[in-house]
Amino acid sequence: MRRQFSSSFRIWHWLQAIAMFGLFITVVLRESVMHKSQIGSIVKTKLAEMGTVITDEQAVLIGKAVRSPMWDWHIYLGIAVAILLVWRIALIIKNGFGFDQDPHMQKVYKLYRVVYVLLSLMSVSGLILYWKVAGGSKEIVESVHMYIGWSLFAFIAIHIIGVVLAEKSDQSGLVSRMINGAE
């Protein structure tokens, strides 16, 4: 069965893909080349070469300041994901979800329900961190947020593999339908 996708769903899908990709990039950069210690070490070394000595703590503060604009994008994209999730829920309410009789599609719909729950939890935990209402539980909320985020990034990899496999099966043209609504 060749599933058709509404224009509102396709727009939602690609905006969600862009937002999630942006979140992934900001996380990877934050944990690698844009890590506060990495940047701080570079700044400390270069300043020492110019005759200025700073402490490790000062270097980390500079590292945080340098990467702050990039991290602002993580926040903006996270808020976009939360808004897009509300849009997706509205689409589900309007159009229904998961009533296909095909057993494979029933499994797919169950997986997507899990993904939407995870997106909800990630959005809520991100907003709690943004509004600084976690209190003494900040580390727990950060951990939950991080683990959910990585599980969603794993889902994205599985999703892409599934799309490739679908294109090689009786669902060829899936990507075309998701881009322009027709094959």
Side-chain angles (χ1 to χ4, degrees):
M1 180 174 111
R2 295 198 177 280
R3 185 160 179 242
Q4 297 300 316
F5 303 103
S6 68
S7 59
S8 57
F9 177 78
R10 292 191 325 268
I11 292 167
W12 171 84
H13 176 270
W14 292 112
L15 289 175
Q16 183 75 12
I18 291 166
M20 290 300 291
F21 180 73
L23 288 170
F24 179 74
I25 293 299
T26 60
V27 168
V28 169
L29 287 174
R30 181 177 193 232
E31 297 302 322
S32 61
V33 296
M34 295 290 287
H35 192 275
K36 62 188 175 198
S37 299
Q38 175 82 2
I39 294 170
S41 175
I42 293 167
V43 169
K44 186 175 180 181
T45 300
K46 288 299 177 187
L47 285 174
E49 289 173 6
M50 295 186 291
T52 303
V53 178
I54 62 172
T55 66
D56 288 340
E57 293 79 22
Q58 290 170 323
V60 167
L61 286 174
I62 293 169
K64 285 182 177 180
V66 168
R67 73 179 189 173
S68 180
M70 185 239 0
W71 204 241
D72 288 343
W73 277 101
H74 185 85
I75 293 167
Y76 303 145
L77 292 166
I79 291 169
V81 165
I83 291 167
L84 287 165
L85 179 62
V86 171
W87 181 10
R88 180 64 181 127
I89 291 168
L91 288 173
I92 291 169
I93 291 169
K94 179 182 174 188
N95 301 323
F97 183 70
F99 299 110
D100 195 313
Q101 297 302 314
D102 176 38
H104 171 73
M105 289 309 296
Q106 284 298 319
K107 290 176 188 173
V108 169
Y109 293 145
K110 286 179 184 176
L111 176 61
Y112 276 98
R113 287 183 184 107
V114 170
V115 168
Y116 297 140
V117 168
L118 290 175
L119 278 172
S120 299
L121 292 172
M122 189 175 74
S123 295
V124 168
S125 63
L127 291 170
I128 287 170
L129 293 169
Y130 176 72
W131 288 322
K132 297 177 174 59
V133 294
S137 303
K138 181 181 179 209
E139 290 80 20
I140 293 170
V141 175
E142 283 176 339
S143 293
V144 167
H145 187 73
M146 181 186 69
Y147 288 122
I148 291 171
W150 284 112
S151 67
L152 286 168
F153 296 144
F155 163 77
I156 291 168
I158 292 166
H159 175 70
I160 292 169
I161 291 167
V163 168
V164 169
L165 293 174
E167 280 290 339
K168 294 179 177 261
S169 72
D170 64 336
Q171 287 293 313
S172 65
L174 178 65
V175 174
S176 295
R177 292 190 309 277
M178 185 53 78
I179 292 172
N180 60 28
E183 292 188 54

